[in-house]
Amino acid sequence: MSTAIDPAEVTLLVIAKEPIPGKAKTRLSPAVGAVGAARLAEAALADTLAAVAAAAAVRGSRMLLVLDGSPGAWLPSGFEVVPQRSGGLGERLAGAFEDAGGPALLVGMDTPQLSAKTVRSASEQLSEPGVDAVLGLAEDGGWWALGLRTPDARAFDGVPMSKSDTGAVQIQALDALGLSTRRLGRMVDVDTIEDAIAVAASIPNSRFARTLREVSAAEAG
């Protein structure tokens, strides 16, 4: 059984793709165009990184951005940046935890509504005695956060990525390793324009919400 650890020992990981038109958030392109979709991706990433940085500042936690592409002006100070590994998403996720080299909490760039409080709470729960992993499921069937006490590539073996059953199979994979997993709250991933509208409405003063208003107005002409 896992013993308690200092939450400051938990590396905060963000796995992300450089927000380039035509490559980022392409499912939003029909509604706001390729450039608008990339702007929304950048805003979502910036809001996510800000939340993680605010959470890390409380205890001086290490922050690691595992990036497909190159960093831009959207990257705040304090993050280490490492390239994503090659292979499928499961292999890249396993590589991210390996790069952390110890207890780590990973989030993506699809939940700009993420708050520093939520990140801090998740890392604290991962640090509690008897907890080997934490998992936050997404409303679309995937997951928005995963924390592991110890990096283990087997956690992603056989898990289909970006599918409606990703979260359910991920739970099975963690259970098969004998890990005691704490469930986090559910969140909405921004995949479609309907998701974007719903998330923006929940955080109206965020960069993401402002950007959605701007790109929607531009698209409307």
Side-chain angles (χ1 to χ4, degrees):
M1 178 177 292
S2 300
T3 59
I5 62 171
D6 185 341
E9 297 178 34
V10 178
T11 296
L12 302 181
L13 289 170
V14 179
I15 188 166
K17 179 187 296 184
E18 182 183 1
I20 298 174
K23 293 186 176 181
K25 287 293 169 201
T26 54
R27 291 176 63 184
L28 298 179
S29 296
V32 297
V35 172
R39 287 188 60 196
L40 284 170
E42 180 175 327
L45 179 54
D47 283 343
T48 299
L49 294 172
V52 170
V58 175
R59 293 189 173 88
S61 305
R62 179 188 180 203
M63 300 182 295
L64 189 61
L65 173 62
V66 186
L67 183 63
D68 176 6
S70 301
W74 40 263
L75 179 65
S77 61
F79 278 86
E80 300 172 46
V81 181
V82 297
Q84 289 185 25
R85 305 288 181 91
S86 59
L89 180 54
E91 293 168 295
R92 287 179 277 143
L93 290 169
F97 281 98
E98 186 176 322
D99 286 331
L105 174 74
L106 180 144
V107 298
M109 57 185 288
D110 296 334
T111 49
Q113 72 272 42
L114 188 66
S115 69
K117 181 179 179 181
T118 299
V119 175
R120 193 167 62 249
S121 173
S123 66
E124 289 170 351
Q125 291 182 66
L126 183 61
S127 305
E128 293 178 7
V131 178
D132 302 309
V134 295
L135 182 67
L137 297 178
E139 294 292 351
D140 64 0
W143 53 263
W144 62 270
L146 175 64
L148 295 172
R149 279 289 190 98
T150 304
D152 192 335
R154 296 175 300 168
F156 305 102
D157 286 350
V159 179
M161 295 296 163
S162 303
K163 303 293 184 181
S164 61
D165 62 346
T166 295
V169 179
Q170 185 67 74
I171 292 169
Q172 294 171 6
L174 298 174
D175 288 345
L177 291 175
L179 302 182
S180 175
T181 303
R182 176 77 58 83
R183 301 284 190 91
L184 306 174
R186 287 180 176 266
M187 295 186 75
V188 175
D189 274 352
V190 174
D191 290 319
T192 66
I193 191 62
E194 291 77 17
D195 297 332
I197 292 169
V199 168
S202 72
I203 46 171
N205 297 319
S206 66
R207 176 173 172 175
F208 181 80
R210 292 194 302 272
T211 302
L212 179 60
R213 291 193 289 269
E214 292 169 3
V215 299
S216 296
E219 193 67 17

